[in-house]
Amino acid sequence: MAEHAPAGMRVGLAGRSTSRLEAVRRQLPAAAHGWALIEADSADADSIAAMAATTRVLFTTVGPYAKHGLPVVEACARAGTHYADLAGEVSFIREAIDRYDDLAKMNGARIVHSCGYDSVPSDLAVLLLHQAAEADAAGGLAEVQLVATAKAGISGGTLESMRGQLDAMRSNSALRSLAADPYALSPDRTREPTTPQPPDAGPVHRSDDGTWTAPFIMAPFKTRIVRRSNALQDWAYGRSLQYGEVMGVAPGPAGAVTARAMALGLRSFMGAMAFPPSRKVLDRFLPAPGAGPSTGTQRAGWFHSQVTARTESGQRHQAIAAGPGDPGYAATAVMAGESALALALDGDRLPAAKGSLTPATALGNVLIQRLRAAGHTYQVTKLA
């Protein structure tokens, strides 16, 4: 934001400690040295309400969102302030929708969840595929699969959110059912089609191009965002849409071995994280909340999402969403910053929808254009 926000734009940094905010501000480029510092705590409703009332857009990175996020959503919905976050927690977003969607619509606020690697590349790539199929009069999207590859570090914050979700599901059968529902974030679950969806932890598979794929740890969340985008647009992508995400590994025999090892490793890791005694052992080696990859690791990282679609008429299109930088940090910072700038500056070009939205339904092509200008790739081609 310090490097890319327009001159004269009012920006503030908010947090629980003014002295720590000052330390952060000193590390930023000179353009940020005049930014306002706002002391606010999600446990203090008055401070959050006051903050929401003084800004047009509030972007929060304070997770786990199930623990800290709902008061911020409520304050923005009441104030008519646009809100965005990096949430990757199904239960939090479901509760925010149920509680505050109507209030946000009434007050003209856009509540936009998941504006980072969760789930901008997935959401915008499928939007591009829909637009390409529509332009070709090829019918709705029928089978769509994202193959994710990336060079990334490990986020202590993401792990803490995972711990919270696993703990909540262990003690609450309703949350377990919600997590297993492919349409968990639907605006109207009763109207969803009966189209079967790919399993979140599907089998190891060899793709048509010879690449082996393994289950993708982020699929159980990202797929729900894409399906919500479809439903929010009255199932414009197609009521027969089948959407899944997997992790790309490598071709050949080595790829097969690696993919099987990754699938086994993921099952073992998730099982260990869900069992408190084994989690205590793992936690000795995993980054703590607030910790993450080094600056060098962030700069060396990248992400690449290849999304292939077959339409109802049999045509095939492929979208690429890609960018430099660690996907959970450096690349997500670009997605977050451009999402905030779009909400603040591009209101007359954004989709008209208000309330609880997704990146595709709130920001759509405006965000695609911004991310392209920021060095990310968003392209779609028709396959032979």
Side-chain angles (χ1 to χ4, degrees), residues 131-354:
Q131 292 171 345
E134 190 174 50
D136 288 345
L141 302 178
E143 296 176 0
V144 182
Q145 184 183 68
L146 181 147
V147 178
T149 50
K151 183 178 181 181
I154 302 175
S155 166
T158 298
L159 291 170
E160 183 66 9
S161 292
M162 182 187 298
R163 293 183 189 98
Q165 292 177 84
L166 290 171
D167 289 343
M169 287 189 290
R170 188 171 63 248
S171 60
N172 189 321
S173 60
L175 290 182
R176 291 197 296 273
S177 296
L178 180 71
D181 184 357
Y183 300 106
L185 299 181
S186 173
D188 187 347
R189 185 63 180 85
T190 64
R191 293 184 59 207
E192 287 291 351
T194 57
T195 305
Q197 295 297 327
D200 294 322
V204 170
H205 180 70
R206 183 179 181 274
S207 301
D208 292 340
D209 64 0
T211 299
W212 286 88
T213 63
F216 184 28
I217 193 170
M218 303 173 89
F221 178 76
K222 288 170 170 264
T223 54
R224 274 60 170 174
I225 290 290
V226 170
R227 293 183 196 122
R228 177 168 175 80
S229 292
N230 187 25
L232 285 172
Q233 298 171 87
D234 197 23
W235 294 273
Y237 299 170
R239 290 189 64 83
S240 60
L241 172 67
Q242 293 179 301
Y243 179 70
E245 297 195 358
V246 295
M247 175 172 286
V249 182
V257 172
T258 303
R260 292 189 181 100
M262 290 176 66
L264 178 60
L266 178 59
R267 286 195 297 271
S268 301
F269 174 74
M270 294 303 294
M273 288 292 285
F275 186 54
S278 56
R279 181 194 294 178
K280 287 182 180 179
V281 176
L282 277 179
D283 284 348
R284 298 175 188 171
F285 306 98
L286 296 172
S294 67
T295 300
T297 298
Q298 291 183 42
R299 289 174 177 166
W302 51 267
F303 76 93
H304 184 278
S305 299
Q306 178 179 291
V307 195
T308 305
R310 182 183 63 80
T311 71
E312 292 168 343
S313 68
Q315 286 192 20
R316 296 176 69 243
H317 296 79
Q318 188 175 91
I320 300 295
D326 182 281
Y329 284 84
T332 279
V334 175
M335 298 176 211
E338 295 299 338
S339 296
L341 289 172
L343 286 169
L345 302 175
D346 300 328
D348 58 336
R349 299 194 298 126
L350 295 177
K354 302 295 193 298

Side-chain angles (χ1 to χ4, degrees), residues 30-115:
H33 294 173
W35 286 0
L37 302 180
I38 301 132
E39 191 167 310
D41 188 330
S42 60
D44 179 350
D46 290 341
S47 71
I48 297 296
M51 175 175 59
T54 59
T55 185
R56 293 175 59 195
V57 177
L58 191 155
F59 198 110
T60 175
T61 65
V62 183
Y65 289 92
K67 185 182 293 185
H68 304 296
L70 286 171
V72 187
V73 176
E74 179 181 11
C76 289
R78 291 193 183 284
T81 295
H82 301 317
Y83 162 103
D85 66 27
L86 301 176
E89 303 166 36
V90 168
S91 60
F92 159 71
I93 296 176
R94 182 70 264 171
E95 190 169 359
I97 293 166
D98 294 342
R99 288 192 181 191
Y100 304 121
D101 183 39
D102 289 341
L103 182 64
K105 287 176 180 175
M106 181 175 68
N107 292 323
R110 294 179 174 95
I111 307 297
V112 195
H113 298 293
S114 309
C115 292

